[in-house]
Amino acid sequence: MRIEEVESTTRSQRIATHTHIKGLGLGEDGEPIADAVAGGFVGQDQAREACGLVVEMIRAKKMAGRALLLAGAPGTGKTALALGIARELGSKVPFCPMVGSEVYSAEVKKTEVLMENFRRAIGLRIKENKEVYEGEVTE
């Protein structure tokens, strides 16, 4: 008996999640655009409007040193809204999504995961060198 991999006949193209998000889809007055697809979003008018207020506060430098926590059930668009905020603020604003299972993984300490994401957000690369000595201890 031979087991072989069957290739699909459809053309596959890898697309990252939320590549369609270009912004929050808000007008100059801060109101959501009534277009069917505004900035990559469909619906979520109240959430987009609230995120627009956050963007205004950040631009006015009233949220310096503060964080924003988006909470909700899975699949409600938290990551898409966060990406929309980052895209509204400009191309130089980093977007580093985190998943709760990364933080609460048993393999890595929570502080290491958080520090790695902070470093990634500010573009900091730190290379750690560890020296391991092997041998036998004799008295």
Side-chain angles (χ1 to χ4, degrees):
M1 178 179 193
R2 274 179 39 177
I3 298 174
E4 295 180 19
E5 183 178 344
V6 178
E7 292 185 29
S8 175
T9 57
T10 60
R11 193 176 121 190
S12 62
Q13 181 180 1
R14 186 174 183 156
I15 299 175
T17 54
H18 305 305
T19 54
H20 60 283
I21 304 294
K22 306 297 180 217
L24 291 173
L26 299 174
E28 293 296 322
D29 57 351
E31 296 291 320
I33 298 173
D35 190 9
V37 180
F41 281 98
V42 177
Q44 297 184 347
D45 292 341
Q46 292 177 339
R48 290 180 5 213
E49 193 173 346
C51 288
L53 294 174
V54 170
V55 169
E56 287 178 20
M57 289 174 62
I58 292 171
R59 285 184 178 152
K61 300 189 181 357
K62 293 184 179 178
M63 279 194 67
R66 296 201 175 113
L68 178 67
L69 176 66
L70 300 175
T76 54
K78 299 177 294 293
T79 306
L81 288 169
L83 181 57
I85 290 172
R87 297 268 166 92
E88 284 286 327
L89 291 171
S91 61
K92 292 187 177 183
V93 175
F95 179 71
C96 301
M98 284 180 60
V99 181
S101 60
E102 287 179 16
V103 179
Y104 292 105
S105 171
E107 299 170 5
V108 184
K109 292 181 183 178
K110 295 172 188 67
T111 53
E112 284 184 31
V113 173
L114 294 173
M115 287 306 299
E116 181 182 327
N117 276 290
F118 286 137
R119 289 174 182 158
R120 190 178 337 147
I122 61 174
L124 184 63
R125 302 276 187 263
I126 296 177
K127 184 176 181 182
E128 296 180 16
N129 293 327
K130 294 182 181 179
E131 294 183 23
V132 178
Y133 298 101
E134 293 183 23
E136 185 177 326
V137 177
T138 58
E139 292 183 297

